[in-house]
Amino acid sequence: MFPFVYDFRWEATSLIFLGVFFAVITTLMMMVATVTVRSVKDLRTRKIGTLRWHETFEDLPAGARSCRFAMSGFAPGRSCDNFFECGTCAVYPRFRSLEERHRPEDHESRSGHGGFGIDEKRYYHRGHTWLQEEEDGTCVIGLDDFAARLLGPNPTYQLPPAGSTLKQHQPAFTIQTGESSVRVVSPIDGEVLEAGDSTRGWLLRIRPSTQLPHARHLFRAGEARRWFQAELERLNRLVEIPGVGATLADGGTPVDSFRETRPDANWDGILGVMMLDV
Amino acid sequence: MKSIEISPSQYVMVIDADRCTGCGACMVACAIENNVAPAHPDATDRTGVTWMKVVKVSSGNNGDGKPACYLPLPCQQCAAETPCVTVCPQNAVEVDQQTGIVFQMSQRCLGCRYCMAACPYHARYFNWWDPEWPEGMEQTLNPDVAPRMRGVVEKCNFCHGRYQAARASAAEHGQASSDPVTYEPACAQACPTRAIKFGTPANNEQGVGDLVHSSSAFRLLPRLGTEPRVYYLSKHKWIRQMAQMEKETSTGEEVHG
Amino acid sequence: MDSKFITRGLERTSLRNFSVWVLFWVVVLGFGLYGAYLCLAEGLNQTNMDNRFVFGLWIFLDLAIIAFGAGAFFTGLLLYILKRSEFTAVINSAVVIGLICYSGAVAVLAIDVGQPLRAWFTFWHPNAHSMLTEVTFCISCYLVVLAVEYMPILLKNRKLKERPSLLVFQHNLHKVIPVLAAIGVFLSFFHQGSLGGLYGVLKGRPFAFREGFGIWPSTFFLFVLSAAAIGPSFILLTTSLVSKISRKKLVKPEVLQSLGRISGWLLLAYVLFKSVDTLVWINRTSPSLLFSPYEYYNQESFGTWILFAEIVVFGLVPALMLLTRKIREHRGWLITAGLLACAGIAVNRFVMTIQTLALPTLPFDPFLSYIPSWQEIATFIAVIAYGVLLYSFSFRYLTLFPQERDLNSLTR
């Protein structure tokens, strides 16, 4: 195998064969070395949070990753390919201008409430959190109605302390319900000012790094309503009995807790898939 | 078909098929010379180790006066495109350029048995069992030959131990190492009818150099292009034709020994 | 109880049921390992192989499962190099199947050789002219490649990916997967081919000997083509089997049909080349070595029916079936076609190993027969049990089928 072995053959076939073999082995070893070096670098520069979100995003089922413009009908069947970061998405401007031209009412505020408790003042995030601007420039974050009905009564919250940093799409806080726990991703970059609870109607008060109207990836008004409908359909598909079809309430006001309609379902799994924590 | 000229200083073996009586003395002598262990009680003719194997060939009804013949089959020491050498994955077989003997290095053999599949003469044998000699029989072991362990392939090497002894003795007498030495493998020595002759064409021991060119000389499966060093002699046409695969005449095989 | 280790959103059977399943296969594995142990401790006399039948059940089955395991490299080729993204649905399962097939084959080979501890001699003193050296090197490298490809699948386990170091390592490994896939294709081409070349170069066995291109006999290329053809079929068969046992939909039907169609085209090409090769062999190669081909087939156990079975019944027929849309769309017929194709490849491997050795070369040789001993069969059963266990654990705790969550409801 090596020239120092006593019966090494110095002939073309042998040299070509061993040459190719060593080339393959070297490539493999270099690959493993490169991966290790890159991993160490990524760990040191603390890119774990972003990587974790990217991996989680890729692990989401296809139904959870549909592009917002697929839901509005302008890009049917399209799957998000940018980790829900509409701010850096290449196709966002094109579709958004289409939407504004043909369906301006989706982005306008209206009075009143939708069937899911959609508040016209709030901005909604696909992780089922909402944000609301306060007069003093801070923001409050809460869980939307959909998540509340998924979690059922009396969940416990583990909220980050004041002074913590939140990064967009990285875990902000954890909720426990029954035997499941779910990590909720932060809807935006910011700094935690105060932790709340369900009695105050919000969970976190933060100072956001971006002004909310400039946060492209958040939903408002009509778009949020449409997204909620899509999420309800997605949930229906998760719990439908083959041959019977969807069994959750369709249309009208949903029940207080989804769990009580199908107590035998795998709610840990449903929670994970719906709350983007897989 | 034109055959390659075998170098005159390399060994050939000439076996006279007409003289072989099938007594099997060559098989016994070979086993004793080369430290082949007694067969395991469960061994059969297909699992035993017999570097030299005498095969009975029936002529069927094509007689011409001879109903059967016996062919001693050692390793044919193929001179060209040696099948076992080409296929061994770790070069555990090599052709000794000086003597022409195909050399099996059992201590490097992995036991993959690919060489056995490649050998068209079935001249290679695998150690399916650990070799075991009964109490006291170890005194009969030949100190010039290394015994082999279980799981490796072995075969006839023209009694290479005897060659090395002859070479050493010739060197003591001042003979040049490039001159071929004269020696006799155990099978040739034991044969009572002198059917097996061995030597180099250069030294022409027992006339082997002339016999290989005789009209009754033939080799097995010449069409394969292996150029074996073992020649057979027979005046009977059916035997010569059969060996060269011109006509299939056989029906059975029996082993003696 | 172990739900924290199971991917979120996937339904798996209870731990108790799983334990019963595992226990059963562990017992089978134990029995098989006992047979293998006997062969190692007592020697290869425990098998029914002999000096004429030097290759037996193990080599035949090894060649067959290596051909079946070709789905791993071929799916990798389709997905990472030809960018056919629909095959993300099956790539993980294909890698696991490949790992099982190759590691199982290597394990059996370690028992098949007389001196397994000397296996490194082939690396230290390689004979570049021998096909078996080529096989050894390539299969060893490829097993390493498969193990590395398995890492990202393993590291995506729900609990393991919590650890930042493992998550980051997995992420970076996945980024270089196309390079691994390319190396895998290169290695697979050569070892699948060399396995065919093993028999094609044997001039002393005119039944197997073939002319070819350069140093490579035609059997080299036929083996590569047949392995590529059977790979997708085996993936579709295993996916259907796992789907049936787990009572879940694992992939969208179009994926299986696509696999079937690709398999069908390659199988058709293979049947064509094989027919041409057989004609050349019958009319030119074999007679030049003075063996008339009809002699090979005048034994009752191996009449010309076996040639017909290999090329037509288990070759042309499944190829045409797989190319017919109506048959592909019917799950039962698709599976039947896949099974027929696999049988055809198995028959081909059988013919090249067992039939080659059974046939006489010397004019006074008889035709030989061989029946494997129970130890040989047990060893192979150990491989199957090992494969089932490895796959079962992978299926339960890892995500082998990304489309599964979209196709099944989460009701119990």
Side-chain angles (χ1 to χ4, degrees):
Chain A
M1 189 166 166
F2 297 109
F4 56 78
V5 178
Y6 72 92
D7 64 344
F8 187 82
R9 307 234 166 141
W10 291 95
E11 52 180 30
T13 321
S14 203
L15 291 172
I16 294 174
F17 177 77
L18 285 173
V20 172
F21 169 69
F22 282 122
V24 169
I25 291 288
T26 316
T27 313
L28 276 175
M29 291 200 305
M30 271 183 29
M31 238 180 43
V32 175
T34 311
V35 167
T36 314
V37 162
R38 281 188 192 165
S39 302
V40 168
K41 203 163 67 129
D42 284 343
L43 278 171
R44 290 234 185 95
T45 58
R46 313 221 57 99
K47 287 175 59 188
I48 303 157
T50 319
L51 283 180
R52 195 185 288 286
W53 167 242
H54 286 191
E55 290 294 319
T56 308
F57 181 84
E58 310 259 291
D59 289 343
L60 290 172
R65 279 182 279 139
S66 44
C67 173
R68 66 200 292 178
F69 298 113
M71 292 191 271
S72 65
F74 287 95
R78 187 171 198 274
S79 236
C80 178
D81 57 4
N82 203 44
F83 312 104
F84 293 155
E85 308 275 359
C86 304
T88 53
C89 176
V91 302
Y92 177 88
R94 175 159 56 96
F95 284 118
R96 179 59 191 258
S97 59
L98 270 177
E99 232 179 36
E100 276 172 352
R101 233 181 310 133
H102 294 110
R103 278 217 228 144
E105 66 274 14
D106 275 354
H107 299 282
E108 287 164 4
S109 286
R110 263 191 294 183
S111 59
H113 292 260
F116 265 102
I118 295 205
D119 189 325
E120 300 294 331
K121 292 195 305 297
R122 290 176 176 167
Y123 293 78
Y124 289 87
H125 181 254
R126 289 183 85 144
H128 287 289
T129 48
W130 53 257
L131 297 105
Q132 184 169 310
E133 278 174 311
E134 308 270 272
E135 299 84 23
D136 57 358
T138 61
C139 262
V140 288
I141 296 178
L143 274 181
D144 65 21
D145 227 27
F146 195 96
R149 292 180 212 271
L150 267 178
L151 290 163
N154 307 321
T156 40
Y157 300 93
Q158 272 153 16
L159 302 167
S164 327
T165 315
L166 291 184
K167 303 225 69 149
Q168 187 169 308
H169 290 134
Q170 291 177 30
F173 55 93
T174 311
I175 313 175
Q176 254 110 20
T177 167
E179 281 169 15
S180 315
S181 70
V182 67
R183 277 175 306 210
V184 181
V185 295
S186 173
I188 206 162
D189 290 332
E191 188 198 335
V192 178
L193 299 172
E194 198 186 340
D197 54 52
S198 38
T199 56
R200 292 162 90 169
W202 48 266
L203 292 172
L204 288 177
R205 182 184 294 280
I206 67 165
R207 186 179 309 285
S209 311
T210 331
Q211 295 279 5
L212 289 196
H214 299 298
R216 283 207 221 166
H217 62 289
L218 300 175
F219 296 160
R220 295 207 66 186
E223 198 173 15
R225 244 191 299 277
R226 213 179 14 256
W227 171 63
F228 263 43
Q229 193 59 36
E231 287 288 273
L232 188 56
E233 277 164 27
R234 185 158 78 94
L235 179 62
N236 264 335
R237 275 199 303 276
L238 283 177
V239 295
E240 74 183 2
I241 300 171
V244 173
T247 51
L248 288 179
D250 43 348
T253 320
V255 296
D256 281 338
S257 166
F258 292 137
R259 282 187 195 233
E260 58 198 58
T261 63
R262 292 301 308 278
D264 55 333
N266 175 2
W267 283 103
D268 177 68
I270 296 171
L271 203 60
V273 169
M274 297 306 299
M275 301 289 293
L276 310 183
D277 182 23
V278 289
Chain B
M1 186 170 140
K2 190 177 174 303
S3 57
I4 302 176
E5 274 297 313
I6 290 189
S7 159
S9 58
Q10 292 181 338
Y11 293 97
V12 293
M13 181 180 277
V14 179
I15 301 178
D16 195 333
D18 296 336
R19 284 205 199 183
C20 178
T21 60
C23 70
C26 54
M27 293 177 66
V28 175
C30 169
I32 295 188
E33 168 72 21
N34 293 295
N35 295 339
V36 177
H40 191 272
D42 299 328
T44 65
D45 61 335
R46 277 160 62 170
T47 51
V49 175
T50 47
W51 294 14
M52 168 65 89
K53 190 169 189 172
V54 177
V55 168
K56 179 180 180 182
V57 181
S58 305
S59 66
N61 41 23
N62 281 1
D64 82 50
K66 182 150 182 172
C69 87
Y70 293 95
L71 285 180
L73 285 181
C75 168
Q76 306 284 299
Q77 314 288 353
C78 306
E81 293 179 30
T82 320
C84 53
V85 171
T86 334
V87 300
C88 179
Q90 53 268 355
N91 290 323
V93 205
E94 59 177 17
V95 180
D96 179 2
Q97 290 308 316
Q98 190 166 19
T99 58
I101 297 178
V102 178
F103 220 154
Q104 174 75 11
M105 287 179 267
S106 293
Q107 64 272 39
R108 196 192 279 187
C109 177
L110 168 63
C112 70
R113 309 187 296 285
Y114 189 25
C115 57
M116 295 172 73
C119 178
Y121 305 107
H122 307 306
R124 294 174 145 271
Y125 302 89
F126 186 75
N127 282 287
W128 299 98
W129 285 271
D130 275 304
E132 255 180 62
W133 284 266
E135 182 85 32
M137 193 174 165
E138 68 274 4
Q139 312 222 6
T140 66
L141 287 172
N142 181 350
D144 290 337
V145 177
R148 286 72 51 195
M149 65 290 287
R150 182 229 296 175
V152 297
V153 175
E154 56 185 58
K155 69 170 190 68
C156 159
N157 54 21
F158 278 177
C159 287
H160 201 262
R162 293 190 175 196
Y163 164 76
Q164 292 191 314
R167 177 58 71 196
S169 149
E172 268 172 36
H173 290 106
Q175 188 177 342
S177 59
S178 51
D179 279 349
V181 291
T182 298
Y183 77 98
E184 203 174 22
C187 50
Q189 185 182 24
C191 179
T193 59
R194 305 255 87 302
I196 301 179
K197 299 182 169 60
F198 183 83
T200 54
N203 293 342
N204 207 16
E205 295 93 330
Q206 303 170 313
V208 289
D210 306 317
L211 285 172
V212 298
H213 296 299
S214 94
S215 57
S216 55
F218 65 93
R219 292 183 292 181
L220 297 177
L221 305 177
R223 277 283 195 141
L224 295 181
T226 48
E227 301 295 331
R229 298 179 181 288
V230 176
Y231 287 77
Y232 293 85
L233 300 172
S234 177
K235 294 189 170 49
H236 299 275
K237 195 161 164 224
W238 72 268
I239 299 175
R240 288 202 302 278
Q241 277 180 342
M242 168 208 66
Q244 288 160 64
M245 300 297 291
E246 279 165 25
K247 194 160 58 173
E248 195 187 25
T249 53
S250 71
T251 49
E253 171 200 315
E254 289 161 39
V255 173
H256 289 245
Chain C
M1 267 196 322
D2 60 344
S3 54
K4 288 283 183 280
F5 294 92
I6 298 176
T7 308
R8 206 158 195 175
L10 290 182
E11 278 284 293
R12 291 288 177 260
T13 189
S14 70
L15 187 60
R16 197 179 140 279
N17 283 354
F18 185 66
S19 305
V20 169
W21 168 265
V22 165
L23 187 63
F24 170 75
W25 287 104
V26 166
V27 168
V28 173
L29 179 68
F31 161 70
L33 285 177
Y34 176 62
Y37 161 77
L38 281 178
C39 294
L40 286 171
E42 298 291 321
L44 286 171
N45 56 79
Q46 299 284 302
T47 68
N48 280 348
M49 292 188 280
D50 53 48
N51 294 328
R52 298 301 181 88
F53 258 109
V54 290
F55 296 146
L57 181 78
W58 288 338
I59 295 289
F60 152 55
L61 287 177
D62 270 349
L63 260 59
I65 67 173
I66 287 183
F68 294 153
F73 95 83
F74 200 72
T75 315
L77 171 72
L78 287 170
L79 175 61
Y80 295 118
I81 297 175
L82 299 179
K83 308 286 185 209
R84 298 274 299 261
S85 55
E86 66 264 35
F87 295 112
T88 41
V90 287
I91 184 69
N92 289 352
S93 175
V95 168
V96 178
I97 297 276
L99 184 64
I100 291 170
C101 286
Y102 279 84
S103 53
V106 169
V108 168
L109 281 172
I111 301 175
D112 200 355
V113 296
Q115 293 272 346
L117 293 176
R118 294 186 183 179
W120 63 279
F121 285 178
T122 312
F123 293 96
W124 201 245
H125 301 283
N127 175 7
H129 297 280
S130 169
M131 286 283 171
L132 195 49
T133 310
E134 217 282 310
V135 168
T136 310
F137 275 68
C138 269
I139 288 195
S140 311
C141 291
Y142 188 59
L143 193 54
V144 171
V145 168
L146 278 173
V148 174
E149 283 185 351
Y150 184 66
M151 285 286 104
I153 304 173
L154 180 66
L155 293 177
K156 277 249 190 187
N157 167 265
R158 182 173 170 178
K159 269 273 180 260
L160 286 177
K161 69 177 182 174
E162 295 299 316
R163 301 188 125 262
S165 51
L166 297 181
L167 176 79
V168 166
F169 189 73
Q170 179 277 122
H171 174 85
N172 283 310
L173 197 50
H174 192 74
K175 285 212 288 213
V176 298
I177 280 268
V179 177
L180 270 176
I183 296 179
V185 169
F186 174 79
L187 291 173
S188 288
F189 175 80
F190 276 101
H191 74 247
Q192 297 283 359
S194 298
L195 284 170
L198 280 184
Y199 303 97
V201 295
L202 297 180
K203 226 169 171 188
R205 302 271 176 187
F207 179 72
F209 181 72
R210 298 285 188 277
E211 304 160 44
F213 176 74
I215 59 170
W216 298 293
S218 63
T219 45
F220 183 98
F221 304 101
L222 287 172
F223 265 53
V224 180
L225 191 50
S226 56
I230 204 62
S233 278
F234 196 66
I235 299 291
L236 96 83
L237 286 177
T238 49
T239 306
S240 306
L241 179 67
V242 174
S243 187
K244 200 157 183 73
I245 295 178
S246 64
R247 286 191 289 256
K248 292 187 177 34
K249 290 201 258 296
L250 299 171
V251 293
K252 298 204 182 94
E254 305 86 74
V255 177
L256 292 184
Q257 288 162 26
S258 193
L259 286 169
R261 202 181 76 242
I262 294 173
S263 195
W265 279 114
L266 289 169
L267 203 53
L268 189 66
Y270 167 68
V271 166
L272 191 68
F273 281 113
K274 175 86 182 163
S275 308
V276 169
D277 173 72
T278 307
L279 286 171
V280 169
W281 168 67
I282 286 177
N283 290 307
R284 195 169 76 192
T285 319
S286 191
S288 77
L289 296 170
L290 222 51
F291 278 80
S292 136
Y294 90 89
E295 286 173 33
Y296 304 131
Y297 295 106
N298 59 10
Q299 309 294 336
E300 254 175 48
S301 23
F302 291 145
T304 40
W305 64 265
I306 208 173
L307 191 61
F308 180 75
E310 183 192 337
I311 299 184
V312 178
V313 176
F314 297 122
L316 188 61
V317 166
L320 294 175
M321 282 173 80
L322 288 169
L323 289 173
T324 312
R325 178 185 289 277
K326 276 214 151 25
I327 290 183
R328 276 202 308 273
E329 287 175 355
H330 185 281
R331 181 62 63 93
W333 281 113
L334 182 63
I335 292 179
T336 310
L339 283 170
L340 286 175
C342 285
I345 301 303
V347 169
N348 169 257
R349 296 334 190 225
F350 176 86
V351 160
M352 294 306 270
T353 52
I354 308 283
Q355 188 174 359
T356 305
L357 291 171
L359 289 168
T361 54
L362 287 168
F364 36 82
D365 271 350
F367 176 82
L368 302 165
S369 74
Y370 150 82
I371 312 257
S373 68
W374 75 262
Q375 294 92 327
E376 294 174 77
I377 299 176
T379 307
F380 223 89
I381 288 177
V383 170
I384 295 179
Y386 152 74
V388 170
L389 284 170
L390 181 54
Y391 197 88
S392 301
F393 275 91
S394 301
F395 182 70
R396 185 177 178 83
Y397 295 114
L398 308 173
T399 311
L400 293 187
F401 296 99
Q403 287 180 350
E404 186 186 345
R405 264 182 305 204
D406 287 313
L407 294 171
N408 297 282
S409 76
L410 285 173
T411 50
R412 295 219 165 95

